[in-house]
Amino acid sequence: NAVPAASMLYPWAGYRGGDTIPIYQHGPVTSWANLVDYATMYKRITATSSGNFKIPNLQPVAINGDSFAFLHKVRILPVIARMQWVFSHSAGAVASDPSKLEPRLLLTPVVTMWNPYNVEISTPGSLNFSVPKPLPAALRYTINGVANSNYNALTAGSTNYTPSLSTASTLRYEINDTFTLKPGETRLFSPTAAIAVTPDVSIPLTVGYRSGGGHYFQVKDNAGNPLALPRGSVIKADAKFDTACDNQAVLRVTNGVTVYVDMSIDGKWVLPYRACYTPEIANLIYKPLTGLVEGTLGQSLTNPTPFLSTLFGARMASRTHLAAKGFVQSSPLVNYTATGFEDLGDIGRHYGGTNHPVNSPFDYSFVSHYDGDSLLPNVSDSTGRGYIVTGFNKADGLSRCVIDELPSRPLVSLGELVNWDLRYENPIPPFAFNLIGNSDATPLLPANAVVNSADAGLTQNLQYDDSYCANHLLFDDWFVSSITPDPTNFGAVGRSLQVTYTDFVTGKTPLGNRPYHPLLADQALAATSSTMATKLFSDYVSKTDSWKSIASRLEVEGMFNVNSTSVTAWRALLGHARKQCVPYIRETGSSWDAALSGETDYAYSRFSIAGDSRAGTSGSAGDFFEATEFAGYRTVDGRFLDALAKEVVRQIRLRGPFLSLAEFVNRQLSTGDLALAGTLQAALNAVSKNPATDPSHEMEGLSTLALAVPERASDAEYKFPAAAAGYSAYGLPGWTRQADILRPLAPILSVRDDTFTIRGYGDARDASGKVLAHAVCEAVVRRTREFVDATEAAEVLTPPTHAANLLFGRRIELISLRWLAAGEV
């Protein structure tokens, strides 16, 4: 059963199910089985000949393939970072009159493929792309000063700009050569030749950008007749971007502006990119362009003249037409969306925000070109790289950017689940990324709720505050023990689960989660013989349900109560990372490796191996100076930590005391600033208002400002507009967020103390009340795992039943007692 009840991370939610393809069966989030597949990914990662790590035998599941594998396995495949179509004036010979030329439109597809992961991947076969609906671009030509009266869509299927320039309804492209992408690497592809548009022709794409290839369309007169014109004829075009089409076969709409790009690998349909909005919104967001570059037919015969580009891809950082608040409103891993209109795959209802492009994970934009234009695809001749995130060319774009980590080693903290794609194939916004451990509110839901009231009763509701819900389910109830098979390098070869545990309990090798220690009783027993260590493993670890009780065999050194209002204590905790060597991905020429920084203080990284070197240094993700600000790890200074500790304490006083760790991690379901983000994120936001303590100051200056009130705000349907205000680069690896701080700290955080210091005072007085002598003692006591009535097992999985245990709970033991001198009081 691919859609079993209660198998989703949200136990109350249901799959869409039905007799349909897997991509339409998905629920609001993915499953526990998918989490298991993610957490054990390290077992399937292998080392290359140079010692680097990769995912071998990449075989992504098709969206119309096996339902169980699609829903419950992590899909890893190269994604389309950007698809750009360059519009150029072109010309062709007229067979009947060699002195004349026919005017043409040359449409050059330029595809930037991207590996967003921290591991090397290779394509398992040829890539095929199809665009089955008219692009949102209609042209009106003026030739020799005479303007056509009508705009024409490019391909067949438009409902408002007919006739089209071609009777073909689908544009097709293919990359036949397999290729390998390093962690975060991009590769740009374009055609080698110009081919007429016909219904079945597919254009081969190869590495690099060439301006003369692509599909060409005949430009005709008003009556639809071919033209034969002198070589000196001047051609130009105006453009509109509200080309609507009939989507009744896929969407419940007959007049929608859509971008459809399908990608297949060796015949498997793996990526269905979808964006849809109304013609009214298109006219508002995308203004018509006039006065575009013109060209002569003679010049354009041998040297096509670019005049316009349309661009479709992930909404990231600087180069966005319609800015949103970074990873709060978009995810680079999203492909299929049902935005714009209700999808026939059993959604059948309207969700807030789906009618406005600002809530889409994709950015669709248009640029007009001129001679020497830097917005034409710019690619390094030696590497075939494309440029993404921050720009289109080598001067300001990243050629490599890791934004998602697949575990190459066993997880040691709940905070590392920040990189798990929790929403997976949910086609409804908010399309947030890095959900677990973060706490930013979404503008699409009320400040005081995690679901819209109209959707609250739906079993198959697809729209939640996913950070809040996931944190609520995971923090407190779950932890990562790091008792796990321990690879020697990469893959599954290394210490077994049993060896990892017995080494730990005998004191030979600590767990990956270093604050965790075995019970003293277990450690003493294991020290007697290897047989006893094996028995402990058999009794407490090897059982299939040991995940329910293993916490009862562990103690944590240095547990920290998040309700502390000591600035000094918080400063010490936040500044724990001293003299750390940070691993990061380093690229040198055609090779790459995992390098190690020198000793550094106060480093924050979202990954176990950062995507690039320290922010502000020269790295390998881009050739411009600020590249590492976006792609690398970040270090902070003492002034920042002093300010952050003070602000954390201020936030605790406003929000606490916290009764659960999830309450500390999450935002408050209320109003105003307390509802915008959780404790740590709110503190980060506050100290970032001062440029002197703002770690993301450089990124903000290179970003686009996202507004709380976008154009046509009523269609954006914001319920909490303040949550949308921010920067387009928000959430990129170099932008420190709450989860980055929590990642190393989560294993030691708690909302209560188990060790207490108690002081007692006593004095002796005479009959008049005069103090003759006094004494002060100090006792350190610790709450233990044992019940007061020890006949009830400490690791019982149900509430205690004995009267003493119901009344007093766990046993308190005295650790130390001392008398204090006067100067110590």
Side-chain angles (χ1 to χ4, degrees):
N1 180 9
V3 289
S7 64
M8 207 179 298
L9 188 73
Y10 296 170
W12 62 82
Y15 294 90
R16 291 158 64 192
D19 184 18
T20 184
I21 63 176
I23 199 167
Y24 291 156
Q25 297 177 349
H26 200 272
V29 290
T30 189
S31 65
W32 286 99
N34 189 283
L35 175 55
V36 170
D37 191 60
Y38 174 81
T40 57
M41 186 71 65
Y42 70 91
K43 297 181 180 181
R44 300 186 291 282
I45 289 177
T46 62
T48 67
S49 57
S50 58
N52 301 317
F53 39 102
K54 68 176 182 179
I55 294 285
N57 304 319
L58 193 66
Q59 295 294 332
V61 181
I63 69 168
N64 56 351
D66 178 67
S67 292
F68 188 91
F70 183 87
L71 293 173
H72 305 299
K73 299 290 184 180
V74 176
R75 289 210 312 158
I76 306 164
L77 67 167
V79 300
I80 301 173
R82 182 188 306 118
M83 186 167 277
Q84 179 169 353
W85 292 271
V86 181
F87 292 61
S88 300
H89 298 306
S90 182
V94 176
S96 60
D97 187 348
S99 67
K100 300 291 181 64
L101 297 173
E102 69 171 24
R104 294 176 177 175
L105 164 69
L106 178 65
L107 188 68
T108 304
V110 186
V111 180
T112 300
M113 298 303 299
W114 178 30
N115 170 16
Y117 303 106
N118 61 315
V119 296
E120 184 177 290
I121 61 175
S122 299
T123 54
S126 61
L127 274 60
N128 297 89
F129 308 88
S130 65
V131 185
K133 298 292 181 181
L135 286 174
L139 302 178
R140 182 180 63 185
Y141 275 93
T142 298
I143 301 172
N144 290 332
V146 179
N148 282 357
S149 57
N150 298 320
Y151 282 84
N152 302 105
L154 305 186
T155 53
S158 171
T159 58
N160 57 344
Y161 294 120
T162 57
S164 58
L165 295 180
S166 170
T167 57
S169 60
T170 302
L171 302 173
R172 304 180 191 275
Y173 321 116
E174 59 190 46
I175 300 173
N176 293 314
D177 296 328
T178 59
F179 55 93
T180 297
L181 294 172
K182 303 170 189 174
E185 184 182 10
T186 59
R187 192 70 53 78
L188 183 145
F189 298 84
S190 68
T192 58
I195 303 173
V197 180
T198 59
D200 298 316
V201 67
S202 181
I203 297 181
L205 309 178
T206 59
V207 175
Y209 172 61
R210 289 159 293 274
S211 61
H215 282 122
Y216 68 80
F217 303 74
Q218 281 186 320
V219 177
K220 301 177 181 179
D221 63 17
N222 268 335
N225 300 312
L227 295 170
L229 302 171
R231 300 174 68 89
S233 298
V234 177
I235 184 172
K236 66 177 183 177
D238 299 331
K240 294 186 71 174
F241 309 111
D242 60 342
T243 308
C245 58
D246 184 350
N247 292 290
Q248 190 65 37
V250 182
L251 303 169
R252 288 197 179 110
V253 60
T254 56
N255 192 35
V257 178
T258 62
V259 183
Y260 276 30
V261 178
D262 290 330
M263 186 178 92
S264 300
I265 298 180
D266 270 355
K268 291 183 179 180
W269 185 17
V270 294
L271 289 178
Y273 287 89
R274 299 286 186 268
C276 186
Y277 42 93
T278 66
E280 294 76 19
I281 289 178
N283 272 323
L284 180 70
I285 303 299
Y286 307 118
K287 308 296 184 187
L289 293 179
T290 60
L292 299 172
V293 167
E294 60 186 38
T296 65
L297 295 186
Q299 171 196 8
S300 300
L301 177 65
T302 56
N303 187 24
T305 305
F307 64 91
L308 174 71
S309 274
T310 72
L311 303 102
F312 176 75
R315 184 193 305 279
M316 292 184 292
S318 308
R319 294 292 190 179
T320 54
H321 180 82
L322 187 63
K325 189 179 177 181
F327 286 176
V328 171
Q329 291 180 270
S330 65
S331 166
L333 298 185
V334 171
N335 55 92
Y336 167 64
T337 71
T339 56
F341 305 92
E342 284 71 52
D343 168 86
L344 285 180
D346 298 329
I347 291 179
R349 66 180 287 107
H350 174 77
Y351 284 98
T354 52
N355 281 348
H356 199 295
V358 75
N359 296 313
S360 170
F362 310 121
D363 192 59
Y364 194 53
S365 58
F366 307 86
V367 294
S368 52
H369 292 304
Y370 54 88
D371 290 341
D373 187 354
S374 65
L375 293 180
L376 282 169
N378 185 313
V379 62
S380 167
D381 294 335
S382 61
T383 65
R385 293 285 178 84
Y387 296 95
I388 61 172
V389 180
T390 54
F392 296 153
N393 55 52
K394 189 178 289 189
D396 63 359
L398 297 177
S399 62
R400 190 176 61 77
C401 186
V402 173
I403 58 98
D404 192 32
E405 179 171 73
L406 302 173
S408 57
R409 301 283 300 170
L411 302 180
V412 297
S413 167
L414 275 179
E416 289 183 289
L417 294 182
V418 67
N419 294 298
W420 177 42
D421 188 15
L422 171 71
R423 295 188 92 247
Y424 189 41
E425 294 290 345
N426 185 340
I428 296 299
F431 296 104
F433 192 53
N434 295 138
L435 290 161
I436 295 172
N438 284 313
S439 60
D440 295 281
T442 170
L444 293 177
L445 299 173
N448 63 350
V450 297
V451 63
N452 280 314
S453 58
D455 305 329
L458 296 175
T459 302
Q460 297 179 356
N461 178 34
L462 296 176
Q463 193 172 66
Y464 292 93
D465 182 338
D466 294 298
S467 277
Y468 190 101
C469 293
N471 292 336
H472 174 74
L473 289 166
L474 292 173
F475 284 92
D476 288 310
D477 290 347
W478 297 89
F479 76 108
V480 179
S481 73
S482 69
I483 300 173
T484 180
D486 183 22
T488 303
N489 189 354
F490 299 110
V493 179
R495 294 191 301 162
S496 67
L497 179 67
Q498 180 171 344
V499 172
T500 297
Y501 177 75
T502 54
D503 283 353
F504 161 66
V505 78
T506 58
K508 180 180 178 181
T509 306
L511 294 177
N513 214 325
R514 296 304 172 91
Y516 291 176
H517 297 274
L519 291 177
L520 291 176
D522 289 355
Q523 194 168 8
L525 196 60
T528 61
S529 69
S530 59
T531 301
M532 293 311 300
T534 301
K535 185 178 186 306
L536 288 171
F537 174 77
S538 176
D539 288 346
Y540 303 126
V541 179
S542 64
K543 295 178 178 178
T544 55
D545 64 348
S546 62
W547 56 273
K548 296 180 180 179
S549 57
I550 190 61
S552 69
R553 315 308 304 181
L554 301 174
E555 293 183 336
V556 185
E557 183 179 26
M559 208 75 176
F560 187 90
N561 189 337
V562 296
N563 285 302
S564 170
T565 54
S566 167
V567 173
T568 301
W570 273 105
R571 174 61 174 81
L573 182 71
L574 295 170
H576 72 283
R578 301 292 301 275
K579 297 183 178 180
Q580 299 286 310
C581 296
V582 182
Y584 67 94
I585 293 172
R586 176 179 60 187
E587 184 179 21
T588 307
S590 60
S591 64
W592 68 277
D593 60 12
L596 204 60
S597 75
E599 288 188 352
T600 186
D601 292 341
Y602 315 135
Y604 290 130
S605 177
R606 193 162 303 160
F607 312 121
S608 56
I609 303 176
D612 203 358
S613 59
R614 178 172 61 84
T617 64
S618 177
S620 58
D623 291 321
F624 64 105
F625 178 75
E626 297 88 358
T628 53
E629 293 283 346
F630 295 88
Y633 66 91
R634 188 163 297 280
T635 58
V636 296
D637 57 21
R639 180 170 53 175
F640 168 83
L641 292 173
D642 290 341
L644 185 62
K646 291 177 182 177
E647 188 58 36
V648 167
V649 169
R650 191 179 79 87
Q651 292 293 333
I652 291 169
R653 293 186 187 279
L654 289 172
R655 300 161 184 262
F658 304 107
L659 302 182
S660 71
L661 194 55
E663 193 176 340
F664 168 78
V665 172
N666 275 331
R667 67 189 184 92
Q668 193 175 94
L669 299 183
S670 57
T671 58
D673 291 346
L674 298 183
L676 282 172
T679 309
L680 290 178
Q681 188 61 56
L684 273 171
N685 295 344
V687 299
S688 296
K689 292 177 181 179
N690 180 356
T693 54
D694 182 4
S696 304
H697 181 68
E698 290 288 339
M699 296 179 71
E700 291 168 6
L702 296 168
S703 299
T704 306
L705 197 62
L707 303 177
V709 183
E711 286 190 281
R712 204 171 173 104
S714 60
D715 288 301
E717 297 183 272
Y718 285 172
K719 303 293 193 303
F720 190 13
Y727 292 92
S728 58
Y730 185 84
L732 282 168
W735 193 299
T736 300
R737 297 179 72 184
Q738 173 176 288
D740 304 328
I741 298 175
L742 276 176
R743 184 171 158 264
L745 300 181
I748 63 167
L749 297 182
S750 176
V751 290
R752 66 145 203 260
D753 293 310
D754 284 328
T755 302
F756 305 90
T757 299
I758 302 173
R759 286 183 174 182
Y761 169 85
D763 58 39
R765 306 183 184 213
D766 62 17
S768 66
K770 179 181 178 181
V771 175
L772 301 176
H774 70 272
V776 178
C777 67
E778 180 181 271
V780 177
V781 300
R782 182 174 62 189
R783 179 180 181 269
T784 70
R785 63 190 293 273
E786 304 294 340
F787 284 111
V788 170
D789 182 347
T791 60
E792 195 159 14
E795 59 268 20
V796 64
L797 299 179
T798 56
T801 58
H802 295 191
N805 298 336
L806 287 170
L807 184 61
F808 297 110
R810 308 284 177 167
R811 186 179 298 273
I812 301 292
E813 65 180 14
L814 180 66
I815 303 300
S816 66
L817 176 69
R818 69 189 185 100
W819 297 100
L820 301 182
E824 294 181 279
V825 178

